[in-house]
Amino acid sequence: MSRADLLRFFRNAGRLKSEPRRGWMMKLELPYPESVADHSYRVALMAMVYSDERGLDTGKAMRMALLHDVPEAIVGDSMPGERTPSGKRRLESRAMRTIVRDVPPPLAELYLKAWDEYERGTSPEAKLVKQLDKVEMAMQAMEYRERYPRKDVKEFMSTARRTVRDPELLRAIDEIDA
Amino acid sequence: MSRADLLRFFRNAGRLKSEPRRGWMMKLELPYPESVADHSYRVALMAMVYSDERGLDTGKAMRMALLHDVPEAIVGDSMPGERTPSGKRRLESRAMRTIVRDVPPPLAELYLKAWDEYERGTSPEAKLVKQLDKVEMAMQAMEYRERYPRKDVKEFMSTARRTVRDPELLRAIDEIDA
């Protein structure tokens, strides 16, 4: 494998460290919110724990969590409503295909497959990680509200509730919101 | 499993999002450096790629990468020289044992074992992730130098070179440093 290509893959992914999660900037007016990498880190950790607990394929779940926002290294973070769902999917899918060109072909295929599976929610691991993406957001929303009690995070909580279907994860949101 | 405990585990880990990597603050005087979670995110992604490429146990490598700095949620980030190696190990080991109490016992055991194995470098995955921890730092150092050309990152590069033994990873550092 070409080292230069591989390093470019890591450089690209590294951009997520300085990509702010825009919802916190635009709606809560936080000047230095968490990064997309911060968010992905905790989603991956949650994926690890719930997947280990449920006997799912944890390696697969962690891969999905680590990769799920990688296209944002090229297209940036967006908020619900800024892009149409199909437009967003097309844009991100193209970005993902560009980014994985820098890893060896068998891995590129594996990562693209994991990302597509996540997007389509076509496996238990994909469904889990997709919901954890929102549970993590809900948890972060409440953490910001603790730090800045005047901030109104209702919208984030209701987005999370609209997306999450899993009974245990819904109860987790109840508890986060208590 | 108690939901409240589990959520506390994720809250603790979430502190790594606002824990700055202190080396960048103290030695490069960057006021808003990356977080420990940012760093851990890219280490986990690197662990995924190299472990997939080498046919190692990728699930194990990703677990180690995601967990390796979790004790810092309690004890904070430290720089080489600030704590004696054995003092640091003791402090972090105690913190890790406290933090994993919040996940169900079989997982707590699994995560503690992964963390200890990482610390001791007693498996191919542990050796890999331990070196990637430094390769990631070297990459971030050069990225900061590109953004702030007056910053002197030599010390970070030599720390990385002192730790990394794997020939492929040493060549990667050469390329990062080119």
Side-chain angles (χ1 to χ4, degrees), chain B residues 3-27:
Chain B
R3 275 189 307 280
D5 288 350
L6 204 52
L7 293 176
R8 189 166 52 217
F9 177 78
F10 297 133
R11 265 177 85 96
N12 267 326
R15 292 198 210 172
L16 300 183
K17 297 179 179 196
S18 38
E19 178 69 23
R21 293 258 289 166
R22 293 188 50 242
W24 311 127
M25 294 183 91
M26 310 296 279
K27 294 187 176 159

Side-chain angles (χ1 to χ4, degrees), chain B residues 130-139 159-160 163-164 173:
Chain B
K130 231 176 164 52
Q131 294 178 78
L132 290 175
D133 182 44
K134 301 303 179 195
V135 175
E136 203 288 321
M137 177 193 70
M139 188 168 233
T159 301
T163 313
V164 174
I173 292 183

Side-chain angles (χ1 to χ4, degrees), chain A residues 88-105:
Chain A
K88 182 172 188 281
R89 166 87 63 95
R90 210 166 36 238
L91 202 65
E92 295 190 344
S93 166
R94 204 182 305 139
M96 192 65 187
R97 270 154 238 277
T98 303
I99 291 172
V100 296
R101 267 189 224 132
D102 290 328
V103 300

Side-chain angles (χ1 to χ4, degrees), chain B residues 61-137:
Chain B
M62 288 187 283
R63 266 199 201 89
M64 284 178 182
L66 292 173
L67 293 171
H68 84 285
D69 277 340
V70 159
E72 296 185 6
I74 292 187
V75 303
D77 188 26
S78 68
M79 290 186 301
E82 283 189 321
R83 291 170 187 154
T84 65
S86 69
K88 182 172 189 279
R89 167 86 63 94
R90 208 163 41 236
L91 202 66
E92 295 189 344
S93 167
R94 204 183 304 139
M96 191 66 187
R97 270 154 238 276
T98 303
I99 292 173
V100 296
R101 266 188 225 135
D102 290 328
V103 301
L107 303 196
E109 207 174 303
L110 178 67
Y111 300 162
L112 217 45
K113 198 172 152 243
W115 188 81
D116 280 333
E117 194 173 307
Y118 168 81
E119 278 294 305
R120 294 171 204 279
T122 49
S123 63
E125 290 80 7
K127 286 189 181 79
L128 173 67
V129 178
K130 231 176 164 52
Q131 294 178 78
L132 290 175
D133 182 44
K134 301 303 179 195
V135 175
E136 203 288 321
M137 177 193 70

Side-chain angles (χ1 to χ4, degrees), chain A residues 17 35 38 41 52 63 136, chain B residues 17 35 38 52 63 136:
Chain A
K17 296 177 179 195
S35 67
D38 280 328
Y41 170 74
D52 280 337
R63 268 200 200 88
E136 202 289 321
Chain B
K17 297 179 179 196
S35 67
D38 280 329
D52 280 337
R63 266 199 201 89
E136 203 288 321

Side-chain angles (χ1 to χ4, degrees), chain A residues 80 134 155-165 170 173:
Chain A
K134 300 303 179 197
E155 197 182 330
F156 295 95
M157 299 313 288
S158 52
T159 301
R161 283 182 196 286
R162 265 201 313 278
T163 312
V164 173
R165 288 284 165 269
L170 271 176
I173 293 183

Side-chain angles (χ1 to χ4, degrees), chain A residues 5-8 14 16 30 43 47 72 74 76 96 115 127 136 140 176:
Chain A
D5 288 351
L6 204 52
L7 293 177
R8 189 166 51 219
L16 301 183
L30 302 179
V43 173
E72 296 184 7
I74 292 188
M96 192 65 187
W115 188 82
K127 286 189 181 80
E136 202 289 321
Q140 183 58 63
I176 289 168

